[in-house]
Amino acid sequence: MFAIFLTEAMDPFYEICSSFPTIIFTILLIFCVFYWVLAVLGLVDIEILDFDVPDSLDTSGLTDDLSNLNVMSGLLLRLGLNGVPFTIVITALALIGWMLSFTVVYFTNPFIPGTLLEFLVGIPIFIGTLYVSAMVTAAIIKPLRPIFQSANQEVQKTILGQVAVVRTGRVDKNFGEAKVEDGGAGLIVKVRSYKDEEFKRGDKVVLLEHVTAENVYKVISENDFTG
């Protein structure tokens, strides 16, 4: 069944995927797929790419401190790409952008002679595709915002003090995830060690404190908590 991907009939498909501007979305989509595979395996945080986006737009200080990603946060908020994990936003952008770019390039390339001209035409195609993708993504995630907000608030109230099992290769002051049993599929939360301890996969920890600014839980070992 997969032999068709090695036939000459697939050459136009690969050519478009690797041509500008579709190749930008192709690379981004491959990165997203690779990231989600690692996240499922517990090798990276599910929200490792997330950063704080304000609830209201205040452009007065967007350029004061680029290290805090204020410009990016303001742009995401202006486009309506806030309120859900950034990994979901970037994945949706990559997928929608790839489909739109592939379609546009597929129908326009036969009428554009020369590689240089294809590149020049590809610039407005990329900008237009990126903008439309952002608008479509914003429309898709809009009904999801209340779900994530209410879920986060409810989780914060109910799981503090509960025991969680480390699911990543390690948990320290800068990295880690743990799974909290909730009677169902379980909840996966970002955790950080309270002290300088380092935990490994399978260790049991207790959620002591929720740090709202970073959306992480400070944890200590179950033995320290009970002893």
Side-chain angles (χ1 to χ4, degrees):
M1 182 177 71
F2 296 102
I4 188 175
F5 292 104
L6 303 177
T7 63
E8 293 184 0
M10 294 297 294
D11 288 349
F13 173 82
Y14 296 133
E15 182 178 347
I16 295 176
C17 287
S18 59
S19 64
F20 181 81
T22 311
I23 189 172
I24 298 177
F25 295 103
T26 300
I27 294 173
L28 188 58
L29 190 57
I30 292 173
F31 169 79
C32 290
V33 171
F34 184 65
Y35 162 80
W36 283 111
V37 170
L38 292 180
V40 169
L41 295 176
L43 300 178
V44 297
D45 280 347
I46 290 180
E47 298 178 348
I48 194 173
L49 300 179
D50 281 1
F51 50 88
D52 293 333
V53 180
D55 294 326
S56 59
L57 185 61
D58 179 10
T59 58
S60 61
L62 286 181
T63 57
D64 291 343
D65 186 2
L66 294 180
S67 64
N68 288 333
L69 299 176
N70 288 340
V71 174
M72 179 64 75
S73 298
L75 180 60
L76 290 175
L77 186 61
R78 185 179 294 277
L79 293 174
L81 301 176
N82 62 307
V84 301
F86 183 65
T87 47
I88 294 179
V89 172
I90 198 68
T91 301
L93 274 173
L95 180 59
I96 296 171
W98 184 88
M99 292 188 295
L100 289 175
S101 180
F102 184 95
T103 302
V104 173
V105 172
Y106 177 82
F107 286 107
T108 58
N109 265 9
F111 305 99
I112 304 175
T115 303
L116 179 59
L117 190 57
E118 287 181 1
F119 178 80
L120 294 177
V121 173
I123 295 176
I125 291 177
F126 172 71
I127 296 174
T129 298
L130 186 61
Y131 179 76
V132 173
S133 300
M135 294 299 98
V136 174
T137 300
I140 292 175
I141 68 175
K142 185 176 182 179
L144 299 179
R145 291 196 197 105
I147 299 176
F148 280 97
Q149 291 172 356
S150 61
N152 287 336
Q153 293 172 356
E154 190 64 28
V155 166
Q156 293 168 18
K157 296 177 182 178
T158 59
I159 68 175
L160 284 178
Q162 291 195 27
V163 176
V165 179
V166 175
R167 70 182 294 269
T168 46
R170 76 176 197 281
V171 166
D172 54 30
K173 297 183 69 173
N174 302 304
F175 175 85
E177 286 183 352
K179 184 176 182 180
V180 183
E181 295 299 335
D182 62 348
L187 298 173
I188 297 174
V189 294
K190 293 198 296 183
V191 295
R192 302 291 184 264
S193 61
Y194 216 104
K195 307 172 185 177
D196 292 327
E197 293 180 273
E198 182 169 317
F199 305 100
K200 62 181 184 299
R201 190 192 307 270
D203 286 349
K204 291 185 177 181
V205 295
V206 177
L207 308 178
L208 282 188
E209 175 189 352
H210 180 256
V211 182
T212 305
E214 302 175 20
N215 192 28
V216 300
Y217 291 85
K218 295 287 188 176
V219 299
I220 62 172
S221 70
E222 184 182 26
N223 291 334
D224 288 345
F225 183 77
T226 56

